[in-house]
Amino acid sequence: MAFRSANSLAFLALLVVTLVVGSNAGGISIYWGQNGNEGTLAETCATGNYEYVNIAFLWTFGNGRTPKMDLSGHCDPYSNGCTNLSSNITYCQAQGIKVMLSIGGGIGSYSIASKQDAQDVATYLWDNFLGGKSTGIRPLGNASLDGIDFDIESGGSQHWDDLARYLSAYSTHDKKVYLTAAPQCPYPDAWLGGALQTGLFDFVWVQFYNNPPCQYSSNISNLEDGWKQWTSDIPVSKIFLGLPAASTAAGSGFIPVTDLTSKVLPAIKGSPNYGGVMLWSKYYDDQTGYSAAIKNDV
């Protein structure tokens, strides 16, 4: 009887450990679209390394601008050359991967001038990339993306919260519109600080690179302090550690695999809203194999 009780206790302990580890298991988010040599979208999803793919970028929009998209080297959206991505998108979604359209980027021309402008941009995104219907040819074909990623690095701080509200309002019981964001790690983010307080964003991948005050160095404390602030102050279900997938992918902030898996991840995975790791970008990941090397530890 005592032997069976001991076994039962051991089993329960193992079960608890398994549940705790499982609850902290994260995923990898990747940016695709900015290098024609990074493989197709379908090939990206076929690797099995990613749970989220951000198609980058819709880089011109808002304040009366004609929306413009750039998928460098992959296809030309201005000649309807990207409509065949629709089958790639549905392939990725069939693998359980969420596919987002990333708007903004580090080099772009975008801003939201007013609440009405936010509504107009939301309507455009819904009709051309999400669940709506366009009067013309949809840039990526008829597939409905899972949501919109806010990679806002210019264009002021006004009305991004309004855009998030209008996009979120399109969600239904049958089809949720996911909202994600890629703020810089200095807190609060200069552009998205207000929008991120709305509680409407599902996943936030914070860029812990090109930002020396809060990125990784020989002393992990700067990154750890920044992570604690983000995970405690933002009302979001999942927060991700955004990193370059190669030392050449960013000006600074690259973390060698061994440092990430032995020092950084153990320090942050205990956060209840830990979501995983975001990588810039698929092209650089191809060069280093970074996602494959960290996947089992994320």
Side-chain angles (χ1 to χ4, degrees):
M1 189 71 173
F3 176 73
R4 292 181 61 186
S5 296
N7 276 351
S8 298
L9 289 172
F11 173 76
L12 288 173
L14 178 61
L15 180 61
V16 169
V17 170
T18 302
L19 288 172
V20 169
V21 172
S23 66
N24 286 341
I28 297 177
S29 174
I30 195 77
Y31 279 84
W32 175 93
Q34 286 299 291
N35 193 300
N37 296 315
E38 63 192 345
T40 68
L41 181 61
E43 289 169 345
T44 297
C45 294
T47 63
N49 291 337
Y50 316 115
E51 281 70 33
Y52 314 88
V53 177
N54 304 288
I55 299 177
F57 292 105
L58 183 78
W59 64 279
T60 299
F61 61 89
N63 199 17
R65 302 176 183 91
T66 299
K68 295 180 181 178
M69 191 173 197
D70 172 37
L71 295 179
S72 306
H74 286 286
C75 54
D76 178 14
Y78 303 110
S79 62
N80 299 324
C82 299
T83 56
N84 63 347
L85 282 179
S86 190
S87 60
N88 285 227
I89 293 165
T90 54
Y91 168 81
C92 293
Q93 291 169 332
Q95 313 307 308
I97 297 168
K98 289 180 173 58
V99 186
M100 320 293 293
L101 172 68
S102 187
I103 63 173
I107 302 174
S109 177
Y110 52 86
S111 61
I112 304 292
S114 64
K115 282 190 176 183
Q116 183 60 55
D117 193 27
Q119 185 173 21
D120 292 344
V121 171
T123 300
Y124 169 79
L125 293 171
W126 171 254
D127 286 343
N128 286 276
F129 298 100
L130 301 169
K133 301 294 182 184
S134 173
T135 55
I137 297 176
R138 287 163 57 105
L140 303 181
N142 291 327
S144 177
L145 296 174
D146 293 291
I148 302 296
D149 175 59
F150 289 49
D151 184 8
I152 305 304
E153 303 182 35
S154 64
S157 61
Q158 299 299 305
H159 302 297
W160 300 113
D161 55 340
D162 295 318
L163 180 58
R165 290 186 186 98
Y166 285 121
L167 286 169
S168 181
Y170 283 114
S171 288
T172 66
H173 290 297
D174 297 326
K175 178 73 170 177
K176 176 179 172 60
V177 175
Y178 286 88
L179 298 181
T180 67
Q184 310 292 313
C185 62
Y187 187 88
D189 183 75
W191 298 279
L192 289 173
L196 291 172
Q197 291 295 338
T198 61
L200 296 174
F201 286 83
D202 300 284
F203 312 117
V204 174
W205 11 85
V206 183
Q207 296 184 47
F208 281 88
Y209 55 95
N210 292 334
N211 287 294
C214 45
Q215 70 189 28
Y216 178 76
S217 63
S218 55
N219 184 345
I220 194 177
S221 61
N222 286 350
L223 184 149
E224 198 169 8
D225 289 346
W227 175 264
K228 287 176 181 176
Q229 187 159 34
W230 278 99
T231 53
S232 61
D233 290 358
I234 295 295
V236 62
S237 60
K238 297 291 183 184
I239 292 186
F240 292 65
L241 180 73
L243 299 173
S247 59
T248 52
S252 60
F254 175 73
I255 304 180
V257 168
T258 52
D259 287 7
L260 181 70
T261 57
S262 67
K263 299 178 184 178
V264 178
L265 289 178
I268 68 173
K269 286 183 70 173
S271 304
N273 49 358
Y274 167 80
V277 172
M278 174 273 278
L279 296 176
W280 176 268
S281 61
K282 173 57 165 53
Y283 171 76
Y284 291 104
D285 193 26
D286 284 347
Q287 313 308 306
T288 62
Y290 199 86
S291 64
I294 69 170
K295 183 174 175 60
N296 291 337
D297 293 283
V298 171

